[in-house]
Protein backbone atom coordinates (compact mmCIF):
# COMPACT_ATOMS: atom_id res chain seq x y z
CA UNK A 1 0.00 0.00 0.00
CA UNK A 2 2.83 2.40 0.87
CA UNK A 3 4.59 1.63 -2.41
CA UNK A 4 1.42 2.55 -4.31
CA UNK A 5 1.04 5.78 -2.35
CA UNK A 6 4.65 6.68 -3.11
CA UNK A 7 4.21 5.67 -6.77
CA UNK A 8 7.01 3.11 -6.69
CA UNK A 9 7.06 0.49 -9.42
CA UNK A 10 7.24 -3.25 -8.71
CA UNK A 11 10.85 -3.59 -9.95
CA UNK A 12 12.06 -0.92 -7.52
CA UNK A 13 10.20 -2.54 -4.61
CA UNK A 14 11.78 -5.92 -5.46
CA UNK A 15 15.26 -4.36 -5.52
CA UNK A 16 14.59 -2.79 -2.12
CA UNK A 17 13.53 -6.16 -0.74
CA UNK A 18 16.72 -7.78 -2.10
CA UNK A 19 18.84 -5.03 -0.52
CA UNK A 20 17.01 -5.54 2.78
CA UNK A 21 17.80 -9.27 2.69
CA UNK A 22 21.49 -8.56 1.98
CA UNK A 23 21.61 -6.03 4.80
CA UNK A 24 20.01 -8.47 7.22
CA UNK A 25 22.56 -11.13 6.26
CA UNK A 26 25.44 -8.65 6.67
CA UNK A 27 24.15 -7.69 10.11
CA UNK A 28 24.00 -11.35 11.15
CA UNK A 29 27.55 -11.91 9.89
CA UNK A 30 28.80 -8.85 11.77
CA UNK A 31 27.06 -9.94 14.96
CA UNK A 32 28.73 -13.36 14.76
CA UNK A 33 32.21 -11.80 14.96
CA UNK A 34 33.98 -12.83 18.15
CA UNK A 35 34.10 -9.99 20.65
CA UNK A 36 37.52 -11.00 21.95
CA UNK A 37 39.27 -10.55 18.60
CA UNK A 38 41.89 -7.80 18.65
CA UNK A 39 41.55 -4.95 16.20
CA UNK A 40 44.71 -3.35 14.83
CA UNK A 41 45.14 0.28 13.93
CA UNK A 42 45.44 -0.83 10.31
CA UNK A 43 41.97 -2.38 10.55
CA UNK A 44 40.60 0.87 11.95
CA UNK A 45 42.36 2.93 9.27
CA UNK A 46 40.84 0.76 6.56
CA UNK A 47 37.36 1.09 8.07
CA UNK A 48 37.83 4.87 8.31
CA UNK A 49 38.84 4.98 4.66
CA UNK A 50 35.79 3.00 3.59
CA UNK A 51 33.52 5.29 5.58
CA UNK A 52 35.12 8.39 4.08
CA UNK A 53 34.65 7.04 0.56
CA UNK A 54 30.99 6.34 1.23
CA UNK A 55 30.45 9.75 2.80
CA UNK A 56 32.23 11.41 -0.12
CA UNK A 57 29.95 9.66 -2.60
CA UNK A 58 26.83 10.62 -0.66
CA UNK A 59 27.90 14.26 -0.48
CA UNK A 60 28.70 14.22 -4.21
CA UNK A 61 25.28 12.81 -5.08
CA UNK A 62 23.53 15.56 -3.11
CA UNK A 63 25.85 18.16 -4.66
CA UNK A 64 24.95 17.03 -8.19
CA UNK A 65 21.27 16.80 -7.30
CA UNK A 66 21.35 20.36 -5.97
CA UNK A 67 22.92 21.52 -9.25
CA UNK A 68 19.99 19.96 -11.12
CA UNK A 69 17.29 21.07 -8.69
CA UNK A 70 18.16 23.80 -6.14
CA UNK A 71 15.31 22.68 -3.88
CA UNK A 72 17.35 19.58 -3.02
CA UNK A 73 19.53 20.51 -0.04
CA UNK A 74 23.32 20.34 -0.11
CA UNK A 75 24.94 18.19 2.54
CA UNK A 76 27.55 20.02 4.55
CA UNK A 77 29.55 17.58 6.65
CA UNK A 78 30.81 19.60 9.61
CA UNK A 79 33.43 17.33 11.15
CA UNK A 80 34.95 16.42 7.77
CA UNK A 81 34.52 19.70 5.93
CA UNK A 82 38.24 20.12 5.27
CA UNK A 83 38.29 16.77 3.48
CA UNK A 84 35.36 17.58 1.20
CA UNK A 85 35.76 21.33 0.73
CA UNK A 86 36.18 22.62 -2.77
CA UNK A 87 39.59 24.04 -3.55
CA UNK A 88 40.17 27.09 -5.66
CA UNK A 89 43.02 27.88 -8.03
CA UNK A 90 43.74 30.23 -10.87
CA UNK A 91 43.17 29.21 -14.45
CA UNK A 92 46.37 28.64 -16.42
CA UNK A 93 45.52 31.52 -18.80
CA UNK A 94 45.12 33.96 -15.91
CA UNK A 95 48.48 33.20 -14.31
CA UNK A 96 51.05 35.81 -15.36
CA UNK A 97 54.17 34.21 -16.90
CA UNK A 98 55.71 33.02 -13.66
CA UNK A 99 55.35 36.36 -11.88
CA UNK A 100 53.67 34.94 -8.82
CA UNK A 101 54.02 37.22 -5.83
CA UNK A 102 55.37 40.16 -7.82
CA UNK A 103 55.77 43.50 -6.05
CA UNK A 104 52.62 45.60 -5.93
CA UNK A 105 50.35 42.61 -6.43
CA UNK A 106 48.33 43.30 -3.29
CA UNK A 107 47.64 40.40 -0.99
CA UNK A 108 49.64 37.37 -2.04
CA UNK A 109 47.72 34.16 -2.31
CA UNK A 110 44.32 35.82 -2.50
CA UNK A 111 43.14 33.16 -4.93
CA UNK A 112 41.72 35.63 -7.43
CA UNK A 113 43.01 37.49 -10.45
CA UNK A 114 41.77 40.84 -11.70
CA UNK A 115 39.05 41.08 -9.08
CA UNK A 116 37.16 38.12 -10.56
CA UNK A 117 36.04 35.42 -8.13
CA UNK A 118 38.16 32.28 -8.29
CA UNK A 119 36.82 29.30 -10.19
CA UNK A 120 35.77 26.43 -8.00
CA UNK A 121 37.41 23.14 -8.83
CA UNK A 122 35.68 19.98 -7.78
CA UNK A 123 38.37 17.58 -6.53
CA UNK A 124 35.92 14.73 -7.14
CA UNK A 125 35.23 15.67 -10.74
CA UNK A 126 36.58 13.36 -13.38
CA UNK A 127 37.36 10.42 -11.15
CA UNK A 128 35.70 7.23 -12.23
CA UNK A 129 34.46 6.23 -8.79
CA UNK A 130 30.93 4.83 -8.81
CA UNK A 131 28.24 7.14 -7.55
Amino acid sequence: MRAKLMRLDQDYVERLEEAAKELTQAAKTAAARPAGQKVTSGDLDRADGINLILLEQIVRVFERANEQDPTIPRLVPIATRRLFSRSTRKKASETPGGAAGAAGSGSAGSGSAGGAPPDEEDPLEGDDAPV
Side-chain angles (χ1 to χ4, degrees), residues 7-45:
R7 297 181 182 160
L8 302 177
D9 63 2
Q10 184 62 29
D11 182 47
Y12 186 74
V13 171
E14 289 172 3
R15 288 187 299 169
L16 285 176
E17 289 173 347
E18 288 174 22
K21 288 177 185 175
E22 289 178 20
L23 181 61
T24 302
Q25 183 59 38
K28 288 178 183 177
T29 303
R33 189 178 139 241
Q37 184 179 358
K38 293 201 176 216
V39 178
T40 66
S41 65
D43 293 336
L44 289 176
D45 289 344

PDB file of all heavy atoms in Angstrom, residues 7-45:
ATOM      1  N   ARG A   7       4.083   5.864  -5.331  1.00  0.00           N
ATOM      2  CA  ARG A   7       4.206   5.667  -6.770  1.00  0.00           C
ATOM      3  C   ARG A   7       5.503   4.951  -7.146  1.00  0.00           C
ATOM      4  O   ARG A   7       6.202   5.333  -8.082  1.00  0.00           O
ATOM      5  CB  ARG A   7       4.097   7.002  -7.503  1.00  0.00           C
ATOM      6  CG  ARG A   7       2.761   7.661  -7.322  1.00  0.00           C
ATOM      7  CD  ARG A   7       2.659   8.940  -8.057  1.00  0.00           C
ATOM      8  NE  ARG A   7       1.353   9.527  -7.799  1.00  0.00           N
ATOM      9  CZ  ARG A   7       1.083  10.786  -7.981  1.00  0.00           C
ATOM     10  NH1 ARG A   7       1.998  11.593  -8.441  1.00  0.00           N
ATOM     11  NH2 ARG A   7      -0.117  11.247  -7.723  1.00  0.00           N
ATOM     12  N   LEU A   8       5.840   3.917  -6.400  1.00  0.00           N
ATOM     13  CA  LEU A   8       7.014   3.106  -6.689  1.00  0.00           C
ATOM     14  C   LEU A   8       6.602   1.927  -7.552  1.00  0.00           C
ATOM     15  O   LEU A   8       5.582   1.290  -7.303  1.00  0.00           O
ATOM     16  CB  LEU A   8       7.641   2.598  -5.392  1.00  0.00           C
ATOM     17  CG  LEU A   8       8.073   3.671  -4.385  1.00  0.00           C
ATOM     18  CD1 LEU A   8       8.596   3.018  -3.120  1.00  0.00           C
ATOM     19  CD2 LEU A   8       9.123   4.579  -4.992  1.00  0.00           C
ATOM     20  N   ASP A   9       7.412   1.621  -8.564  1.00  0.00           N
ATOM     21  CA  ASP A   9       7.061   0.488  -9.416  1.00  0.00           C
ATOM     22  C   ASP A   9       7.516  -0.828  -8.773  1.00  0.00           C
ATOM     23  O   ASP A   9       8.309  -0.847  -7.837  1.00  0.00           O
ATOM     24  CB  ASP A   9       7.630   0.646 -10.823  1.00  0.00           C
ATOM     25  CG  ASP A   9       9.144   0.685 -10.854  1.00  0.00           C
ATOM     26  OD1 ASP A   9       9.772   0.556  -9.796  1.00  0.00           O
ATOM     27  OD2 ASP A   9       9.688   0.837 -11.957  1.00  0.00           O
ATOM     28  N   GLN A  10       7.000  -1.930  -9.279  1.00  0.00           N
ATOM     29  CA  GLN A  10       7.242  -3.249  -8.706  1.00  0.00           C
ATOM     30  C   GLN A  10       8.730  -3.610  -8.742  1.00  0.00           C
ATOM     31  O   GLN A  10       9.259  -4.189  -7.798  1.00  0.00           O
ATOM     32  CB  GLN A  10       6.414  -4.304  -9.447  1.00  0.00           C
ATOM     33  CG  GLN A  10       6.513  -5.698  -8.858  1.00  0.00           C
ATOM     34  CD  GLN A  10       5.984  -5.781  -7.431  1.00  0.00           C
ATOM     35  OE1 GLN A  10       5.101  -5.027  -7.040  1.00  0.00           O
ATOM     36  NE2 GLN A  10       6.538  -6.687  -6.654  1.00  0.00           N
ATOM     37  N   ASP A  11       9.421  -3.278  -9.829  1.00  0.00           N
ATOM     38  CA  ASP A  11      10.851  -3.587  -9.953  1.00  0.00           C
ATOM     39  C   ASP A  11      11.649  -2.905  -8.845  1.00  0.00           C
ATOM     40  O   ASP A  11      12.533  -3.518  -8.233  1.00  0.00           O
ATOM     41  CB  ASP A  11      11.364  -3.137 -11.336  1.00  0.00           C
ATOM     42  CG  ASP A  11      12.818  -3.482 -11.545  1.00  0.00           C
ATOM     43  OD1 ASP A  11      13.203  -4.639 -11.258  1.00  0.00           O
ATOM     44  OD2 ASP A  11      13.583  -2.588 -11.970  1.00  0.00           O
ATOM     45  N   TYR A  12      11.347  -1.663  -8.571  1.00  0.00           N
ATOM     46  CA  TYR A  12      12.057  -0.920  -7.516  1.00  0.00           C
ATOM     47  C   TYR A  12      11.785  -1.541  -6.142  1.00  0.00           C
ATOM     48  O   TYR A  12      12.692  -1.698  -5.334  1.00  0.00           O
ATOM     49  CB  TYR A  12      11.628   0.547  -7.540  1.00  0.00           C
ATOM     50  CG  TYR A  12      12.409   1.407  -6.587  1.00  0.00           C
ATOM     51  CD1 TYR A  12      13.723   1.764  -6.851  1.00  0.00           C
ATOM     52  CD2 TYR A  12      11.826   1.869  -5.405  1.00  0.00           C
ATOM     53  CE1 TYR A  12      14.446   2.547  -5.976  1.00  0.00           C
ATOM     54  CE2 TYR A  12      12.546   2.652  -4.523  1.00  0.00           C
ATOM     55  CZ  TYR A  12      13.851   2.993  -4.818  1.00  0.00           C
ATOM     56  OH  TYR A  12      14.561   3.768  -3.938  1.00  0.00           O
ATOM     57  N   VAL A  13      10.564  -1.926  -5.892  1.00  0.00           N
ATOM     58  CA  VAL A  13      10.201  -2.540  -4.610  1.00  0.00           C
ATOM     59  C   VAL A  13      10.955  -3.865  -4.446  1.00  0.00           C
ATOM     60  O   VAL A  13      11.468  -4.171  -3.371  1.00  0.00           O
ATOM     61  CB  VAL A  13       8.674  -2.741  -4.502  1.00  0.00           C
ATOM     62  CG1 VAL A  13       8.308  -3.562  -3.280  1.00  0.00           C
ATOM     63  CG2 VAL A  13       7.964  -1.394  -4.479  1.00  0.00           C
ATOM     64  N   GLU A  14      11.055  -4.654  -5.527  1.00  0.00           N
ATOM     65  CA  GLU A  14      11.783  -5.921  -5.463  1.00  0.00           C
ATOM     66  C   GLU A  14      13.265  -5.687  -5.171  1.00  0.00           C
ATOM     67  O   GLU A  14      13.878  -6.433  -4.398  1.00  0.00           O
ATOM     68  CB  GLU A  14      11.603  -6.693  -6.759  1.00  0.00           C
ATOM     69  CG  GLU A  14      10.205  -7.255  -6.933  1.00  0.00           C
ATOM     70  CD  GLU A  14       9.971  -7.857  -8.311  1.00  0.00           C
ATOM     71  OE1 GLU A  14      10.918  -7.887  -9.133  1.00  0.00           O
ATOM     72  OE2 GLU A  14       8.836  -8.297  -8.563  1.00  0.00           O
ATOM     73  N   ARG A  15      13.847  -4.667  -5.791  1.00  0.00           N
ATOM     74  CA  ARG A  15      15.261  -4.355  -5.519  1.00  0.00           C
ATOM     75  C   ARG A  15      15.457  -3.925  -4.068  1.00  0.00           C
ATOM     76  O   ARG A  15      16.457  -4.262  -3.444  1.00  0.00           O
ATOM     77  CB  ARG A  15      15.775  -3.283  -6.479  1.00  0.00           C
ATOM     78  CG  ARG A  15      15.956  -3.814  -7.893  1.00  0.00           C
ATOM     79  CD  ARG A  15      16.613  -2.829  -8.791  1.00  0.00           C
ATOM     80  NE  ARG A  15      15.769  -1.625  -8.878  1.00  0.00           N
ATOM     81  CZ  ARG A  15      16.151  -0.488  -9.416  1.00  0.00           C
ATOM     82  NH1 ARG A  15      17.344  -0.344  -9.900  1.00  0.00           N
ATOM     83  NH2 ARG A  15      15.336   0.535  -9.463  1.00  0.00           N
ATOM     84  N   LEU A  16      14.507  -3.181  -3.527  1.00  0.00           N
ATOM     85  CA  LEU A  16      14.588  -2.790  -2.117  1.00  0.00           C
ATOM     86  C   LEU A  16      14.519  -4.014  -1.207  1.00  0.00           C
ATOM     87  O   LEU A  16      15.252  -4.098  -0.220  1.00  0.00           O
ATOM     88  CB  LEU A  16      13.467  -1.812  -1.762  1.00  0.00           C
ATOM     89  CG  LEU A  16      13.608  -0.381  -2.252  1.00  0.00           C
ATOM     90  CD1 LEU A  16      12.357   0.418  -1.893  1.00  0.00           C
ATOM     91  CD2 LEU A  16      14.830   0.282  -1.662  1.00  0.00           C
ATOM     92  N   GLU A  17      13.644  -4.947  -1.545  1.00  0.00           N
ATOM     93  CA  GLU A  17      13.526  -6.163  -0.744  1.00  0.00           C
ATOM     94  C   GLU A  17      14.807  -6.983  -0.790  1.00  0.00           C
ATOM     95  O   GLU A  17      15.243  -7.525   0.223  1.00  0.00           O
ATOM     96  CB  GLU A  17      12.327  -6.987  -1.218  1.00  0.00           C
ATOM     97  CG  GLU A  17      10.993  -6.355  -0.860  1.00  0.00           C
ATOM     98  CD  GLU A  17       9.803  -7.069  -1.479  1.00  0.00           C
ATOM     99  OE1 GLU A  17      10.010  -7.920  -2.391  1.00  0.00           O
ATOM    100  OE2 GLU A  17       8.673  -6.772  -1.070  1.00  0.00           O
ATOM    101  N   GLU A  18      15.450  -7.067  -1.971  1.00  0.00           N
ATOM    102  CA  GLU A  18      16.723  -7.782  -2.095  1.00  0.00           C
ATOM    103  C   GLU A  18      17.800  -7.104  -1.256  1.00  0.00           C
ATOM    104  O   GLU A  18      18.588  -7.775  -0.579  1.00  0.00           O
ATOM    105  CB  GLU A  18      17.151  -7.848  -3.557  1.00  0.00           C
ATOM    106  CG  GLU A  18      16.331  -8.778  -4.407  1.00  0.00           C
ATOM    107  CD  GLU A  18      16.716  -8.702  -5.878  1.00  0.00           C
ATOM    108  OE1 GLU A  18      17.844  -8.280  -6.179  1.00  0.00           O
ATOM    109  OE2 GLU A  18      15.882  -9.067  -6.715  1.00  0.00           O
ATOM    110  N   ALA A  19      17.850  -5.773  -1.310  1.00  0.00           N
ATOM    111  CA  ALA A  19      18.837  -5.031  -0.525  1.00  0.00           C
ATOM    112  C   ALA A  19      18.597  -5.239   0.967  1.00  0.00           C
ATOM    113  O   ALA A  19      19.556  -5.362   1.746  1.00  0.00           O
ATOM    114  CB  ALA A  19      18.787  -3.541  -0.880  1.00  0.00           C
ATOM    115  N   ALA A  20      17.340  -5.312   1.369  1.00  0.00           N
ATOM    116  CA  ALA A  20      17.014  -5.538   2.784  1.00  0.00           C
ATOM    117  C   ALA A  20      17.488  -6.918   3.228  1.00  0.00           C
ATOM    118  O   ALA A  20      18.028  -7.077   4.331  1.00  0.00           O
ATOM    119  CB  ALA A  20      15.514  -5.386   3.011  1.00  0.00           C
ATOM    120  N   LYS A  21      17.324  -7.923   2.365  1.00  0.00           N
ATOM    121  CA  LYS A  21      17.798  -9.270   2.695  1.00  0.00           C
ATOM    122  C   LYS A  21      19.326  -9.283   2.835  1.00  0.00           C
ATOM    123  O   LYS A  21      19.864  -9.900   3.753  1.00  0.00           O
ATOM    124  CB  LYS A  21      17.356 -10.262   1.627  1.00  0.00           C
ATOM    125  CG  LYS A  21      15.870 -10.564   1.658  1.00  0.00           C
ATOM    126  CD  LYS A  21      15.477 -11.497   0.535  1.00  0.00           C
ATOM    127  CE  LYS A  21      13.970 -11.696   0.481  1.00  0.00           C
ATOM    128  NZ  LYS A  21      13.561 -12.499  -0.669  1.00  0.00           N
ATOM    129  N   GLU A  22      20.017  -8.613   1.909  1.00  0.00           N
ATOM    130  CA  GLU A  22      21.485  -8.555   1.975  1.00  0.00           C
ATOM    131  C   GLU A  22      21.937  -7.839   3.246  1.00  0.00           C
ATOM    132  O   GLU A  22      22.901  -8.259   3.891  1.00  0.00           O
ATOM    133  CB  GLU A  22      22.044  -7.846   0.744  1.00  0.00           C
ATOM    134  CG  GLU A  22      21.918  -8.645  -0.527  1.00  0.00           C
ATOM    135  CD  GLU A  22      22.428  -7.886  -1.739  1.00  0.00           C
ATOM    136  OE1 GLU A  22      23.207  -6.919  -1.568  1.00  0.00           O
ATOM    137  OE2 GLU A  22      22.050  -8.255  -2.864  1.00  0.00           O
ATOM    138  N   LEU A  23      21.256  -6.781   3.594  1.00  0.00           N
ATOM    139  CA  LEU A  23      21.606  -6.030   4.796  1.00  0.00           C
ATOM    140  C   LEU A  23      21.385  -6.869   6.051  1.00  0.00           C
ATOM    141  O   LEU A  23      22.210  -6.866   6.966  1.00  0.00           O
ATOM    142  CB  LEU A  23      20.802  -4.734   4.875  1.00  0.00           C
ATOM    143  CG  LEU A  23      21.079  -3.841   6.079  1.00  0.00           C
ATOM    144  CD1 LEU A  23      22.528  -3.377   6.086  1.00  0.00           C
ATOM    145  CD2 LEU A  23      20.152  -2.659   6.080  1.00  0.00           C
ATOM    146  N   THR A  24      20.288  -7.602   6.076  1.00  0.00           N
ATOM    147  CA  THR A  24      20.006  -8.475   7.219  1.00  0.00           C
ATOM    148  C   THR A  24      21.094  -9.535   7.353  1.00  0.00           C
ATOM    149  O   THR A  24      21.578  -9.805   8.457  1.00  0.00           O
ATOM    150  CB  THR A  24      18.620  -9.143   7.053  1.00  0.00           C
ATOM    151  OG1 THR A  24      17.636  -8.117   6.938  1.00  0.00           O
ATOM    152  CG2 THR A  24      18.295 -10.041   8.221  1.00  0.00           C
ATOM    153  N   GLN A  25      21.505 -10.116   6.230  1.00  0.00           N
ATOM    154  CA  GLN A  25      22.565 -11.129   6.260  1.00  0.00           C
ATOM    155  C   GLN A  25      23.888 -10.518   6.715  1.00  0.00           C
ATOM    156  O   GLN A  25      24.613 -11.119   7.506  1.00  0.00           O
ATOM    157  CB  GLN A  25      22.727 -11.771   4.876  1.00  0.00           C
ATOM    158  CG  GLN A  25      23.754 -12.872   4.835  1.00  0.00           C
ATOM    159  CD  GLN A  25      23.428 -14.009   5.786  1.00  0.00           C
ATOM    160  OE1 GLN A  25      22.272 -14.380   5.952  1.00  0.00           O
ATOM    161  NE2 GLN A  25      24.444 -14.557   6.432  1.00  0.00           N
ATOM    162  N   ALA A  26      24.203  -9.319   6.248  1.00  0.00           N
ATOM    163  CA  ALA A  26      25.440  -8.654   6.666  1.00  0.00           C
ATOM    164  C   ALA A  26      25.420  -8.348   8.162  1.00  0.00           C
ATOM    165  O   ALA A  26      26.438  -8.480   8.846  1.00  0.00           O
ATOM    166  CB  ALA A  26      25.637  -7.360   5.862  1.00  0.00           C
ATOM    167  N   ALA A  27      24.264  -7.963   8.677  1.00  0.00           N
ATOM    168  CA  ALA A  27      24.151  -7.685  10.112  1.00  0.00           C
ATOM    169  C   ALA A  27      24.349  -8.953  10.928  1.00  0.00           C
ATOM    170  O   ALA A  27      25.016  -8.932  11.971  1.00  0.00           O
ATOM    171  CB  ALA A  27      22.792  -7.060  10.416  1.00  0.00           C
ATOM    172  N   LYS A  28      23.811 -10.068  10.446  1.00  0.00           N
ATOM    173  CA  LYS A  28      24.003 -11.345  11.146  1.00  0.00           C
ATOM    174  C   LYS A  28      25.470 -11.752  11.130  1.00  0.00           C
ATOM    175  O   LYS A  28      26.003 -12.230  12.137  1.00  0.00           O
ATOM    176  CB  LYS A  28      23.141 -12.430  10.506  1.00  0.00           C
ATOM    177  CG  LYS A  28      21.670 -12.294  10.785  1.00  0.00           C
ATOM    178  CD  LYS A  28      20.871 -13.378  10.080  1.00  0.00           C
ATOM    179  CE  LYS A  28      19.384 -13.199  10.297  1.00  0.00           C
ATOM    180  NZ  LYS A  28      18.599 -14.210   9.563  1.00  0.00           N
ATOM    181  N   THR A  29      26.127 -11.565   9.999  1.00  0.00           N
ATOM    182  CA  THR A  29      27.551 -11.905   9.885  1.00  0.00           C
ATOM    183  C   THR A  29      28.376 -11.039  10.823  1.00  0.00           C
ATOM    184  O   THR A  29      29.291 -11.533  11.492  1.00  0.00           O
ATOM    185  CB  THR A  29      28.028 -11.718   8.433  1.00  0.00           C
ATOM    186  OG1 THR A  29      27.225 -12.530   7.576  1.00  0.00           O
ATOM    187  CG2 THR A  29      29.482 -12.098   8.278  1.00  0.00           C
ATOM    188  N   ALA A  30      28.060  -9.762  10.895  1.00  0.00           N
ATOM    189  CA  ALA A  30      28.799  -8.854  11.774  1.00  0.00           C
ATOM    190  C   ALA A  30      28.570  -9.193  13.236  1.00  0.00           C
ATOM    191  O   ALA A  30      29.489  -9.101  14.057  1.00  0.00           O
ATOM    192  CB  ALA A  30      28.391  -7.406  11.498  1.00  0.00           C
ATOM    193  N   ALA A  31      27.372  -9.604  13.574  1.00  0.00           N
ATOM    194  CA  ALA A  31      27.059  -9.938  14.965  1.00  0.00           C
ATOM    195  C   ALA A  31      27.770 -11.217  15.401  1.00  0.00           C
ATOM    196  O   ALA A  31      28.050 -11.402  16.585  1.00  0.00           O
ATOM    197  CB  ALA A  31      25.551 -10.093  15.142  1.00  0.00           C
ATOM    198  N   ALA A  32      28.089 -12.090  14.442  1.00  0.00           N
ATOM    199  CA  ALA A  32      28.733 -13.358  14.764  1.00  0.00           C
ATOM    200  C   ALA A  32      30.236 -13.204  15.005  1.00  0.00           C
ATOM    201  O   ALA A  32      30.889 -14.149  15.410  1.00  0.00           O
ATOM    202  CB  ALA A  32      28.487 -14.353  13.639  1.00  0.00           C
ATOM    203  N   ARG A  33      30.777 -12.038  14.776  1.00  0.00           N
ATOM    204  CA  ARG A  33      32.215 -11.802  14.963  1.00  0.00           C
ATOM    205  C   ARG A  33      32.559 -11.937  16.438  1.00  0.00           C
ATOM    206  O   ARG A  33      31.900 -11.345  17.291  1.00  0.00           O
ATOM    207  CB  ARG A  33      32.575 -10.396  14.481  1.00  0.00           C
ATOM    208  CG  ARG A  33      34.049 -10.166  14.430  1.00  0.00           C
ATOM    209  CD  ARG A  33      34.370  -8.771  13.895  1.00  0.00           C
ATOM    210  NE  ARG A  33      35.467  -8.293  14.717  1.00  0.00           N
ATOM    211  CZ  ARG A  33      35.435  -7.224  15.477  1.00  0.00           C
ATOM    212  NH1 ARG A  33      34.400  -6.461  15.496  1.00  0.00           N
ATOM    213  NH2 ARG A  33      36.461  -6.888  16.200  1.00  0.00           N
ATOM    214  N   PRO A  34      33.610 -12.676  16.749  1.00  0.00           N
ATOM    215  CA  PRO A  34      33.980 -12.833  18.154  1.00  0.00           C
ATOM    216  C   PRO A  34      34.390 -11.508  18.789  1.00  0.00           C
ATOM    217  O   PRO A  34      35.156 -10.746  18.216  1.00  0.00           O
ATOM    218  CB  PRO A  34      35.158 -13.812  18.125  1.00  0.00           C
ATOM    219  CG  PRO A  34      35.491 -14.062  16.707  1.00  0.00           C
ATOM    220  CD  PRO A  34      34.471 -13.400  15.841  1.00  0.00           C
ATOM    221  N   ALA A  35      33.850 -11.256  19.969  1.00  0.00           N
ATOM    222  CA  ALA A  35      34.102  -9.989  20.652  1.00  0.00           C
ATOM    223  C   ALA A  35      35.530  -9.903  21.173  1.00  0.00           C
ATOM    224  O   ALA A  35      36.057  -8.811  21.364  1.00  0.00           O
ATOM    225  CB  ALA A  35      33.120  -9.809  21.802  1.00  0.00           C
ATOM    226  N   GLY A  36      36.174 -11.034  21.398  1.00  0.00           N
ATOM    227  CA  GLY A  36      37.520 -11.005  21.948  1.00  0.00           C
ATOM    228  C   GLY A  36      38.613 -10.793  20.922  1.00  0.00           C
ATOM    229  O   GLY A  36      39.775 -10.667  21.263  1.00  0.00           O
ATOM    230  N   GLN A  37      38.263 -10.711  19.647  1.00  0.00           N
ATOM    231  CA  GLN A  37      39.266 -10.551  18.596  1.00  0.00           C
ATOM    232  C   GLN A  37      39.873  -9.152  18.653  1.00  0.00           C
ATOM    233  O   GLN A  37      39.164  -8.159  18.755  1.00  0.00           O
ATOM    234  CB  GLN A  37      38.617 -10.788  17.235  1.00  0.00           C
ATOM    235  CG  GLN A  37      39.588 -10.736  16.079  1.00  0.00           C
ATOM    236  CD  GLN A  37      38.893 -11.005  14.747  1.00  0.00           C
ATOM    237  OE1 GLN A  37      37.689 -11.257  14.718  1.00  0.00           O
ATOM    238  NE2 GLN A  37      39.636 -10.968  13.678  1.00  0.00           N
ATOM    239  N   LYS A  38      41.205  -9.092  18.593  1.00  0.00           N
ATOM    240  CA  LYS A  38      41.886  -7.797  18.647  1.00  0.00           C
ATOM    241  C   LYS A  38      41.765  -7.085  17.315  1.00  0.00           C
ATOM    242  O   LYS A  38      41.789  -7.701  16.255  1.00  0.00           O
ATOM    243  CB  LYS A  38      43.351  -7.987  19.001  1.00  0.00           C
ATOM    244  CG  LYS A  38      43.539  -8.494  20.403  1.00  0.00           C
ATOM    245  CD  LYS A  38      44.916  -8.192  20.882  1.00  0.00           C
ATOM    246  CE  LYS A  38      44.989  -8.647  22.329  1.00  0.00           C
ATOM    247  NZ  LYS A  38      45.785  -7.780  23.121  1.00  0.00           N
ATOM    248  N   VAL A  39      41.635  -5.786  17.389  1.00  0.00           N
ATOM    249  CA  VAL A  39      41.549  -4.946  16.201  1.00  0.00           C
ATOM    250  C   VAL A  39      42.816  -4.113  16.137  1.00  0.00           C
ATOM    251  O   VAL A  39      43.184  -3.454  17.105  1.00  0.00           O
ATOM    252  CB  VAL A  39      40.298  -4.031  16.265  1.00  0.00           C
ATOM    253  CG1 VAL A  39      40.241  -3.129  15.050  1.00  0.00           C
ATOM    254  CG2 VAL A  39      39.041  -4.862  16.383  1.00  0.00           C
ATOM    255  N   THR A  40      43.474  -4.121  14.993  1.00  0.00           N
ATOM    256  CA  THR A  40      44.709  -3.354  14.830  1.00  0.00           C
ATOM    257  C   THR A  40      44.387  -1.953  14.331  1.00  0.00           C
ATOM    258  O   THR A  40      43.280  -1.689  13.838  1.00  0.00           O
ATOM    259  CB  THR A  40      45.652  -4.045  13.836  1.00  0.00           C
ATOM    260  OG1 THR A  40      45.035  -4.023  12.534  1.00  0.00           O
ATOM    261  CG2 THR A  40      45.942  -5.479  14.250  1.00  0.00           C
ATOM    262  N   SER A  41      45.352  -1.076  14.430  1.00  0.00           N
ATOM    263  CA  SER A  41      45.142   0.283  13.926  1.00  0.00           C
ATOM    264  C   SER A  41      44.984   0.259  12.412  1.00  0.00           C
ATOM    265  O   SER A  41      44.280   1.094  11.840  1.00  0.00           O
ATOM    266  CB  SER A  41      46.281   1.207  14.340  1.00  0.00           C
ATOM    267  OG  SER A  41      47.492   0.808  13.742  1.00  0.00           O
ATOM    268  N   GLY A  42      45.618  -0.692  11.753  1.00  0.00           N
ATOM    269  CA  GLY A  42      45.436  -0.833  10.306  1.00  0.00           C
ATOM    270  C   GLY A  42      44.004  -1.177   9.952  1.00  0.00           C
ATOM    271  O   GLY A  42      43.461  -0.684   8.962  1.00  0.00           O
ATOM    272  N   ASP A  43      43.380  -2.041  10.770  1.00  0.00           N
ATOM    273  CA  ASP A  43      41.971  -2.377  10.547  1.00  0.00           C
ATOM    274  C   ASP A  43      41.091  -1.142  10.702  1.00  0.00           C
ATOM    275  O   ASP A  43      40.166  -0.915   9.919  1.00  0.00           O
ATOM    276  CB  ASP A  43      41.508  -3.450  11.539  1.00  0.00           C
ATOM    277  CG  ASP A  43      42.178  -4.801  11.307  1.00  0.00           C
ATOM    278  OD1 ASP A  43      42.637  -5.062  10.171  1.00  0.00           O
ATOM    279  OD2 ASP A  43      42.243  -5.582  12.281  1.00  0.00           O
ATOM    280  N   LEU A  44      41.393  -0.347  11.725  1.00  0.00           N
ATOM    281  CA  LEU A  44      40.604   0.873  11.949  1.00  0.00           C
ATOM    282  C   LEU A  44      40.826   1.884  10.825  1.00  0.00           C
ATOM    283  O   LEU A  44      39.876   2.539  10.375  1.00  0.00           O
ATOM    284  CB  LEU A  44      40.962   1.508  13.293  1.00  0.00           C
ATOM    285  CG  LEU A  44      40.493   0.740  14.522  1.00  0.00           C
ATOM    286  CD1 LEU A  44      41.007   1.426  15.785  1.00  0.00           C
ATOM    287  CD2 LEU A  44      38.992   0.629  14.556  1.00  0.00           C
ATOM    288  N   ASP A  45      42.066   2.010  10.366  1.00  0.00           N
ATOM    289  CA  ASP A  45      42.357   2.933   9.267  1.00  0.00           C
ATOM    290  C   ASP A  45      41.603   2.530   7.998  1.00  0.00           C
ATOM    291  O   ASP A  45      41.066   3.381   7.285  1.00  0.00           O
ATOM    292  CB  ASP A  45      43.862   2.975   8.983  1.00  0.00           C
ATOM    293  CG  ASP A  45      44.645   3.668  10.073  1.00  0.00           C
ATOM    294  OD1 ASP A  45      44.021   4.379  10.894  1.00  0.00           O
ATOM    295  OD2 ASP A  45      45.879   3.504  10.111  1.00  0.00           O
TER     296      ASP A  45
END
